């Protein structure tokens, strides 16, 4: 875990001060109703601290003569949006978008490594926060992974270990959301059959075959989870309506973008809908869909899968 920034520590101090103000000065009883504590506040503060370090690294690199501003500035802008979203609801001492200066000037590979490790850290404790914050952290983690890839780091992001075991009741309540995820993967498997059929026999078609295999594997994973929950997986439909006619390689790439973008939305919603033990699986699926969407030419977004 990255160390807290000075600003974040000030925010923690403010929280303590606000709590102390409500106590009776004689220390015998509270002067009034105890303040409502946001259970997500510690996780938000940690996420803001990590984001401050990234902002500081971007700010340092952008001051170097000849910096790759066209590459770095959009990623820095995304990171500032991450911070604003993560700081919502925190004390007023914390929402400034200014980053924490780093001790040395990072290189682009070091910045890419910071982004990848931050993508991983976002998912630690994902089963301990509210569904809405889990969804936001999953989307921001996916964006960090996209940044790492844009900066030249192709290393896969690791999913946290040590997932808590789902209770029988949690497995039962997960069934509707898992069936929705399975249906989305059935449609993606069908869609990539169309994509591959309209690409020339070159690296693009090989990419389509690889992606088709990835969706088959994800489909099978959801089927196994449903079976372990004593639910019968919903079978694929005989066919699926395409969102537009596909008659050329350009149409095929556009369809691939559509499929993956649709999946990012489905998986962001799944993070919210699934019981806590299953959230890392949904967040991982969201990230992989976002990376594939980028590969096929989807425009960049700071919050993959989230509206607006």
């Amino acid at each position: 875990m990255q160390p807290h920034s000075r600003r974040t520590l000030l925010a923690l101090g403010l929280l303590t001060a606000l709590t102390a103000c409500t106590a009776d000065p004689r220390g015998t009883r509270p002067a009034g109703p105890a303040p409502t504590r946001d259970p997500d506040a510690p996780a938000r503060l940690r996420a803001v601290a990590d984001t401050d370090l990234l902002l500081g690294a971007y700010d340092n690199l952008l001051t170097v003569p000849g910096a790759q501003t066209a590459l770095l500035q959009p990623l820095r802008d995304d990171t500032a949006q991450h911070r604003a979203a993560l700081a919502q609801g925190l004390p007023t001492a914390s929402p400034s978008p200014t980053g924490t200066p780093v001790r040395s000037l990072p290189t682009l590979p070091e910045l890419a490594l910071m982004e990848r490790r931050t993508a991983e850290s976002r998912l630690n404790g994902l089963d301990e926060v509210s569904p809405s914050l889990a969804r936001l952290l999953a989307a921001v983690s996916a964006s960090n992974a996209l940044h790492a890839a844009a900066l030249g780091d192709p290393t896969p992001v690791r999913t946290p270990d040590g997932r808590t075991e789902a209770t029988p009741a949690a497995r039962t309540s997960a069934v509707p959301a898992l069936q929705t995820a399975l249906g989305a993967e059935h449609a993606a498997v069908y869609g990539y059959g169309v994509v591959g059929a309209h690409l020339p026999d070159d690296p693009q078609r090989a990419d389509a075959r690889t992606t088709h295999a990835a969706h088959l594997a994800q489909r099978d994973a959801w089927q196994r989870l449903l079976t372990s929950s004593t639910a019968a997986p919903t079978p694929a439909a005989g066919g699926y309506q395409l969102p537009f006619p596909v008659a050329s390689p350009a149409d095929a790439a556009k369809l691939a973008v559509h499929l993956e973008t649709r999946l990012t939305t489905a998986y962001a919603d799944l993070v919210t809908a699934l019981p806590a033990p299953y959230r890392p699986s949904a967040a991982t699926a969201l990230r992989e869909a976002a990376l594939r969407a980028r590969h096929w030419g989807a425009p960049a977004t700071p919050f993959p899968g989230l509206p607006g």
Side-chain angles (χ1 to χ4, degrees):
M1 180 62 64
Q2 300 285 359
H4 290 308
S5 69
R6 183 173 182 273
R7 184 175 300 100
T8 302
L9 293 175
L10 286 173
L12 284 166
L14 180 58
L15 281 173
T16 303
L18 286 172
T19 303
C21 287
T22 62
D24 189 303
R26 294 168 295 180
T28 56
R29 55 179 297 181
T36 301
R37 179 180 177 276
D38 179 5
D40 283 340
R44 285 185 178 274
L45 286 166
R46 290 192 298 268
V48 167
D50 289 344
T51 309
D52 279 342
L53 289 173
L54 283 173
L55 284 170
Y58 278 108
D59 288 342
N60 278 4
L61 276 175
L62 283 166
T63 63
V64 176
Q68 299 183 43
T69 306
L71 169 64
L72 295 173
Q73 190 62 55
L75 304 183
R76 199 271 182 202
D77 293 343
D78 285 354
T79 306
Q81 291 190 59
H82 297 164
R83 192 189 194 286
L86 292 165
Q88 286 186 7
L90 293 179
T92 54
S94 60
S96 169
T98 303
T100 299
V102 295
R103 293 182 178 179
S104 60
L105 184 66
T107 64
L108 283 181
E110 289 170 340
L111 179 58
L113 178 61
M114 288 179 66
E115 286 278 14
R116 176 164 57 81
R117 288 180 173 171
T118 303
E120 294 170 351
S121 71
R122 302 288 192 205
L123 304 187
N124 290 326
L126 202 67
D127 57 348
E128 300 172 358
V129 299
S130 67
S132 59
L133 180 57
R135 182 172 179 250
L136 175 61
L137 287 169
V140 174
S141 174
S143 182
N144 291 134
L146 289 169
H147 289 184
L151 292 165
D153 188 346
T155 309
V157 174
R158 295 177 301 174
T159 300
D161 296 327
R163 190 185 73 181
T164 55
E165 188 63 31
T167 64
R171 288 197 295 269
T172 300
S173 66
V175 167
L178 289 173
Q179 295 284 24
T180 299
L182 176 59
E185 287 296 345
H186 281 320
V189 167
Y190 176 89
Y192 269 96
V194 177
V195 170
H198 288 85
L199 291 173
D201 192 8
D202 63 8
Q204 269 198 319
R205 181 175 288 185
D207 286 347
R209 285 195 294 265
T210 299
T211 307
H212 183 261
H215 285 296
L216 286 171
Q218 186 63 73
R219 179 203 65 184
D220 293 347
W222 296 135
Q223 288 177 331
R224 286 192 298 271
L225 272 176
L226 282 162
T227 301
S228 71
S229 304
T230 66
T234 302
Y240 294 85
Q241 184 175 358
L242 299 178
F244 46 79
V246 178
S248 68
D251 293 337
K254 181 181 175 184
L255 177 59
V257 168
H258 173 85
L259 292 170
E260 300 296 351
T261 302
R262 181 173 176 268
L263 281 171
T264 63
T265 301
Y267 285 131
D269 291 342
L270 192 65
V271 172
T272 304
L274 281 176
Y278 294 101
R279 288 175 185 168
S281 296
T284 297
L286 164 60
R287 180 185 68 242
E288 295 306 308
L291 287 167
R292 288 190 294 261
R294 172 186 176 273
H295 174 78
W296 290 106
T301 171
F303 302 101
L306 302 191

